[in-house]
Amino acid sequence: MIRLRVLTASTGACTHISLHPNELTYSTIRSRLAVVLPVNDQIILLGPPYKVPKDSMLRNNDTISALRLGDEEDELIQSGQCSLEPAERTGSKRLFLFSKRALANNAPEPPNCILDPAPGPLPMPTQADMPPPPPSPADVVETPLRNALELYVRQLMLDVAKGRVYADGADLRLAACRKCLSEMVAIAHALRAAVSNLSDHRAGAVRQRTQFNSDFLDAASFYMDLLQKFELRAGEGYVDDTNAFCGENESLGSMPLHPSLVAAARSSGRIMETLLDTVPLDREKAWANKCQIAHERLTASAEDLEAAFGTAVGTSSGWSEEAQEDLAAEDIIKMLVSEGDDVGNRIRSSQSEKNDILASNQSEATRIVSTAVRNESKEVGTESAFSSLEEMAKSSSSILITMESDDNILSQLSQRVADAKSAAMKRMKSRLRQISIAQSEIARVTSTVSVLQHALTQLKTDIGHLEHVVELPSSYQSFLTEIQRRRAYCNAFKSTFDATVEKLNLLRADEVKLREEFLRGPGKHLMPAFYEIFVPTLATSPAVFSPQLPDMLEFQTLPNVGYQSNQYNSSSTESASTLMTSQMKEMETNVDTKDQSALVSADENSGYYDVMMQSMSHGDAAPRRKDDKAERATLRYENAVLRQKLEQAGVKVPPYIDSNSTTIYPDENDSTDQRYKEQDRKISSLEAELERTRKDLEAARVASAQKEDVNIRRKSDQETTQQLSDKISHTSFEVGDIGLFMPTGRGRGGKRIYLAFHSSCPHRYLSPDCIDGSPDFVLGRIVYQEEFVAGALNTTRNPFGLHVGTKFWVLTVEVVKKG
């Protein structure tokens, strides 16, 4: 069974519950505490850090050990052997029970604390309360002397009874004071838990507000800049046909569309001459106005949030004042605990000793009376007996006076303790109400921040639509480049296809010629078996390869935008420089190939096995022209791809070479050599242009690689510097040093104990919270170390089994490596 101690925050009362390990859940604890508070009225905090416990946390062995350590600390505080220290320093934990009803504004005032016995004089016995003397034997004769002596004995017996009342009263008063003080300590710990929980809520609200403010300022700056650009883009402008692409601050109305696009729009029944004509302007302006209104509302809400946040969170001066008051209340508790320990123990011991003296006097008086009665007939020692009894009576009376004085001191101490607890309960009610109000305000502010965060996210999405208008010029330029690249691809694909088909046809024509030579030569002497049995296809022509190129509908839908004379540079804030316009004219040659049929006989005299052969009358010029056209088209396509990559990288694209002097116009009347020379010059010029474009792209890649290399070297230098400083410490251990921890056995709970490798620097143990499992070693950087003194063996104050009084250190590390 696991025994848990739950402290009631408002009164400090302690409730013990015992649970089986399988029953150790949050819901079970709440049901067991229903005898103290209804389940719906309960708030349970476990800490530090003080939060509503989860089942996994409650079943953790470290949590159970920390709760036991908290119980031991409270026992030591109650006995005066330990001071009221923060639980964060000792690693102890406690369970607190708060009442929701006590946090309400109309919660009843806590009752005044009344101790038992109550402060004031104790009820003293009288002679009437004393038992009657035992009856005298029949042979004993009652005499005046005997009766006088019995009066002294009965008085001393009464004094002993009073002394016993004072001694027992001291024990009861001291026990009541200690119980009351332990409840005050519990109230102080509960107040710390509530304040810590409030601080966590406050810190979370501050982080959330800071993140929102940062996002809001970034969004506001982006929005104002975007709105300004949108207004410039959406304005009417003068169309300058000589400068198709303008700077960032130019209107879309001043940017003309390509003539082919204008013609396409007219063919569909619409008039579009500038980029502005492609924008649904009224709808975009209405959307911009909507975004403007939303931004103004969000700005006003953000200002209201700042005011509400200041009220909810408060100022640091207010926090410090509350903390000082809490510390002053704890100082009162510490003073009363110290006084109760010193004064209470001293008076209790004194009262017990004095009661023993009274009992001894009473026994001695009984002896003296018995002796005097026996010697009554001899009349010897009667006077000395009376004098001894008189002295004892006076001594007992003086002792009772001092015992009464000590009891008054304890009574006053009890009264102060009771008054202090009454004040502590009232102050606890007031502070819990303040904390409840503050947490409610923080919760409202946090909820408001969440709503505004969602509104800001939606506003960012809405504002993003305006960016389409702002970025339309650069997107339009990329659109033209994309169309050029796609047209180049279609041309390259078709040209390559035509060249390939031409090569296959040439190859087949050569095969037909060779077969014809064989059949007219050696083949005419072969017997019919060779044609009918051995190789039935020996006299047939090769298969005809006639693939059909599917209709390229995409090419038909692409407007012929040519190569633009002005390239828009997205990385510059000014319009790009004007480039020369050139459009390469494609050289297409249609070679009409006429097939001729020849009737070839395997044996001219036999009349058998006549076959129809396909032959072609052609030269080598047509295939060569097809290859050249395909190569030029492929170069154009590669050039278009490289230009598009350069534009995407933000590099200024070089101009196209003027094709006026290099364009090939095929003329069937020119000689083949002259056409080849012109084609070679054209190919050379295209290759030169392609080479320059590749060099520019390579230069851009090299610059990017250099930047990345600089960043990598910088990071490598930092890692090298860090590695140089990561030397294992063994003669001293400070925060920031690297320590090597080796297992030395197992401690409480079966977990392995790890000791730092050292030289004359012992007792440095690794905190169990730093590792999971049981590695063979742990290498870690020290981030925190705390000094302890070993307590009694087999207790949580001596987890490593050291000699009592031995100093040891528990090191918290950032694990670098473990194995």
Side-chain angles (χ1 to χ4, degrees):
M1 300 295 287
I2 298 177
R3 192 166 182 263
L4 297 179
R5 188 174 61 107
V6 184
L7 303 176
T8 304
S10 57
T11 62
C14 177
T15 304
H16 293 276
I17 56 177
S18 297
L19 298 173
H20 189 272
N22 295 333
E23 299 177 335
L24 196 57
T25 61
Y26 177 65
S27 59
T28 305
I29 293 176
R30 294 188 68 187
S31 62
R32 293 293 182 88
L33 293 176
V35 296
V36 181
L37 282 177
V39 174
N40 295 333
D41 192 29
Q42 295 177 6
I43 300 176
I44 299 177
L45 293 181
L46 171 64
Y50 298 98
K51 297 179 180 179
V52 176
K54 298 181 179 179
D55 294 347
S56 59
M57 181 184 297
L58 290 171
R59 292 177 177 176
N60 192 312
N61 292 331
D62 294 338
T63 301
I64 301 299
S65 300
L67 287 172
R68 291 174 180 171
L69 180 59
D71 298 344
E72 296 174 359
E73 286 182 357
D74 288 346
E75 292 177 359
L76 295 176
I77 293 173
Q78 183 177 354
S79 62
Q81 302 179 22
C82 180
S83 60
L84 188 62
E85 295 295 336
E88 290 81 356
R89 298 181 182 177
T90 60
S92 61
K93 293 182 181 293
R94 292 172 179 83
L95 269 172
F96 296 101
L97 176 63
F98 292 85
S99 172
K100 295 179 182 178
R101 186 180 304 172
L103 302 178
N105 193 25
N106 56 352
E109 290 292 332
N112 291 328
C113 179
I114 300 176
L115 301 183
D116 185 24
L122 294 172
M124 291 291 122
T126 62
Q127 285 293 350
D129 301 326
M130 299 302 297
S136 301
D139 57 347
V140 176
V141 180
E142 295 289 340
T143 62
L145 175 62
R146 182 182 179 87
N147 292 334
L149 292 175
E150 288 292 339
L151 291 176
Y152 278 104
V153 173
R154 290 180 62 81
Q155 182 61 41
L156 290 175
M157 290 177 62
L158 180 61
D159 292 343
V160 170
K162 291 181 178 179
R164 172 54 56 190
V165 170
Y166 283 127
D168 293 342
D171 292 339
L172 293 175
R173 289 186 192 276
L174 187 58
C177 287
R178 285 182 173 175
K179 180 182 178 183
C180 188
L181 289 172
S182 67
E183 292 175 349
M184 293 173 65
V185 170
I187 291 175
H189 281 304
L191 182 57
R192 285 181 179 178
V195 172
S196 176
N197 187 258
L198 174 62
S199 298
D200 293 341
H201 281 76
R202 184 180 289 150
V206 170
R207 288 194 300 269
Q208 192 172 358
R209 191 276 306 262
T210 303
Q211 181 63 39
F212 170 75
N213 284 346
S214 177
D215 295 343
F216 178 73
L217 291 177
D218 293 342
S221 176
F222 172 76
Y223 172 70
M224 297 306 296
D225 181 62
L226 185 64
L227 183 61
Q228 182 180 5
K229 291 181 179 179
F230 173 80
E231 292 176 351
L232 293 173
R233 293 295 192 201
E236 298 292 340
Y238 171 72
V239 179
D240 185 5
D241 294 333
T242 62
N243 190 11
F245 291 95
C246 306
E248 292 186 356
N249 297 330
E250 294 298 328
S251 168
L252 297 179
S254 62
M255 303 179 188
L257 292 174
H258 191 275
S260 62
L261 302 180
V262 175
R266 288 179 178 175
S267 63
S268 62
R270 303 181 64 182
I271 299 177
M272 294 183 180
E273 296 182 349
T274 65
L275 284 180
L276 187 62
D277 296 333
T278 64
V279 179
L281 194 57
D282 294 338
R283 187 175 64 184
E284 292 293 337
K285 287 185 176 181
W287 189 262
N289 187 43
K290 177 183 176 181
C291 293
Q292 176 69 22
I293 296 174
H295 181 264
E296 292 175 355
R297 290 178 179 176
L298 186 59
T299 303
S301 299
E303 294 175 355
D304 295 340
L305 173 65
E306 287 298 317
F309 188 84
T311 303
V313 175
T315 60
S316 58
S317 60
W319 303 345
S320 60
E321 291 177 2
E322 296 169 355
Q324 291 297 329
E325 293 176 0
D326 295 341
L327 291 176
E330 292 183 1
D331 291 339
I332 294 176
I333 298 176
K334 293 178 182 178
M335 181 187 67
L336 291 174
V337 170
S338 177
E339 185 177 358
D341 183 57
D342 296 339
V343 178
N345 290 335
R346 177 179 58 80
I347 292 179
R348 185 181 63 176
S349 299
S350 175
Q351 298 288 64
S352 178
E353 292 174 358
K354 291 175 182 178
N355 183 63
D356 292 341
I357 294 174
L358 291 176
S360 176
N361 289 342
Q362 190 263 339
S363 299
E364 181 65 20
T366 303
R367 186 189 65 79
I368 292 174
V369 170
S370 299
T371 302
V373 170
R374 286 195 303 269
N375 297 329
E376 180 180 2
S377 60
K378 299 178 182 181
E379 296 182 357
V380 178
T382 304
E383 184 178 355
S384 62
F386 275 100
S387 26
S388 297
L389 292 174
E390 184 65 25
E391 289 179 0
M392 288 182 184
K394 291 180 180 180
S395 175
S396 298
S397 298
S398 63
I399 290 175
L400 288 176
I401 292 174
T402 57
M403 293 181 75
E404 181 180 7
S405 176
D406 290 342
D407 184 72
N408 290 334
I409 295 175
L410 280 180
S411 176
Q412 294 173 3
L413 177 61
S414 300
Q415 186 64 51
R416 290 199 304 274
V417 171
D419 294 342
K421 185 184 177 183
S422 299
M425 289 191 295
K426 292 179 180 179
R427 185 175 183 277
M428 184 65 170
K429 174 183 177 299
S430 175
R431 289 286 287 124
L432 288 180
R433 179 58 186 165
Q434 294 175 0
I435 292 172
S436 176
I437 294 174
Q439 286 188 344
S440 299
E441 293 178 351
I442 290 175
R444 284 194 294 270
V445 170
T446 303
S447 177
T448 303
V449 172
S450 299
V451 172
L452 294 182
Q453 189 71 46
H454 288 300
L456 180 60
T457 302
Q458 184 60 42
L459 181 60
K460 289 181 179 178
T461 303
D462 295 343
I463 291 175
H465 293 292
L466 302 180
E467 194 173 5
H468 300 331
V469 178
V470 175
E471 298 297 331
L472 184 56
S474 59
S475 299
Y476 173 63
Q477 173 59 25
S478 299
F479 162 79
L480 295 179
T481 306
E482 176 69 11
I483 297 302
Q484 296 165 11
R485 186 190 61 78
R486 293 192 183 189
R487 287 182 61 85
Y489 162 76
C490 292
N491 288 328
F493 186 86
K494 185 177 183 303
S495 300
T496 304
F497 179 83
D498 293 341
T500 303
V501 172
E502 187 70 20
K503 289 181 180 179
L504 293 175
N505 290 334
L506 178 61
L507 182 62
R508 181 181 180 279
D510 294 338
E511 176 65 15
V512 168
K513 184 186 296 184
L514 294 175
R515 291 188 184 191
E516 182 181 354
E517 292 177 357
F518 171 78
L519 293 175
R520 289 179 178 178
K524 65 182 180 180
H525 304 296
L526 296 176
M527 296 295 106
F530 287 92
Y531 292 93
E532 296 176 353
I533 300 174
F534 297 149
V535 184
T537 60
L538 186 62
T540 61
S541 62
V544 178
F545 180 72
S546 57
Q548 296 293 326
L549 180 66
D551 293 337
M552 304 188 71
L553 298 178
E554 180 186 14
F555 183 78
Q556 299 174 5
T557 61
L558 295 176
N560 186 8
V561 296
Y563 294 105
Q564 297 302 306
S565 59
N566 295 304
Q567 301 292 331
Y568 183 76
N569 189 354
S570 60
S571 64
S572 174
T573 58
E574 299 178 356
S575 60
S577 61
T578 304
L579 305 177
M580 300 179 63
T581 305
S582 63
Q583 180 177 2
M584 301 298 297
K585 295 182 179 180
E586 298 181 357
M587 177 179 181
E588 299 178 354
T589 21
N590 298 323
V591 180
D592 296 332
T593 306
K594 297 181 179 180
D595 296 337
Q596 295 180 355
S597 300
L599 181 62
V600 181
S601 175
D603 188 352
E604 294 180 356
N605 299 323
S606 65
Y608 299 106
Y609 315 115
D610 295 338
V611 295
M612 183 69 70
M613 302 292 295
Q614 299 291 332
S615 63
M616 298 180 62
S617 175
H618 58 81
D620 295 335
R624 176 65 182 273
R625 289 196 296 272
K626 293 284 186 180
D627 290 341
D628 293 343
K629 179 181 177 181
E631 184 175 1
R632 289 198 304 272
T634 302
L635 288 174
R636 286 197 188 96
Y637 174 67
E638 293 179 357
N639 185 276
V641 172
L642 290 175
R643 286 177 173 274
Q644 189 177 35
K645 296 295 184 181
L646 287 173
E647 287 185 359
Q648 293 175 356
V651 180
K652 186 176 180 180
V653 182
Y656 282 94
I657 298 177
D658 188 2
S659 59
N660 292 333
S661 60
T662 58
T663 303
I664 301 174
Y665 298 95
D667 186 355
E668 295 297 334
N669 297 326
D670 294 342
S671 63
T672 302
D673 293 340
Q674 183 64 26
R675 288 199 303 269
Y676 286 165
K677 291 179 181 180
E678 291 177 355
Q679 292 174 3
D680 291 340
R681 286 197 299 270
K682 177 59 180 177
I683 293 173
S684 298
S685 63
L686 290 174
E687 290 177 346
E689 181 184 356
L690 179 61
E691 185 64 25
R692 286 195 299 271
T693 306
R694 286 176 175 170
K695 288 181 179 180
D696 291 341
L697 181 59
E698 184 64 24
R701 289 177 179 173
V702 170
S704 176
Q706 289 176 350
K707 291 182 180 179
E708 184 178 0
D709 186 54
V710 169
N711 294 333
I712 292 175
R713 287 201 301 270
R714 185 179 304 165
K715 182 177 180 181
S716 177
D717 294 341
Q718 293 176 354
E719 293 178 352
T720 303
T721 304
Q722 181 178 1
Q723 292 175 358
L724 291 176
S725 61
D726 290 347
K727 297 181 179 178
I728 298 177
S729 299
H730 60 94
T731 58
S732 65
F733 297 88
E734 301 294 339
V735 174
D737 292 343
I738 294 292
L740 176 62
F741 299 86
M742 307 296 292
T744 60
R746 296 188 180 272
R748 301 184 64 182
K751 296 192 69 173
R752 301 182 77 174
I753 298 175
Y754 289 84
L755 178 66
F757 172 75
H758 66 89
S759 297
S760 302
C761 195
H763 307 313
R764 267 68 177 181
Y765 296 91
L766 179 63
S767 173
D769 298 333
C770 297
I771 54 173
D772 295 324
S774 300
D776 294 334
F777 70 92
V778 176
L779 188 67
R781 186 184 304 277
I782 301 173
V783 297
Y784 179 73
Q785 62 177 343
E786 189 173 7
E787 181 179 347
F788 297 91
V789 177
L793 293 174
N794 300 324
T795 64
T796 56
R797 299 179 64 84
N798 191 356
F800 305 110
L802 303 175
H803 293 291
V804 177
T806 303
K807 289 185 178 181
F808 65 97
W809 290 260
V810 176
L811 279 59
T812 302
V813 304
E814 177 186 2
V815 177
V816 177
K817 186 178 181 181
K818 62 181 180 180

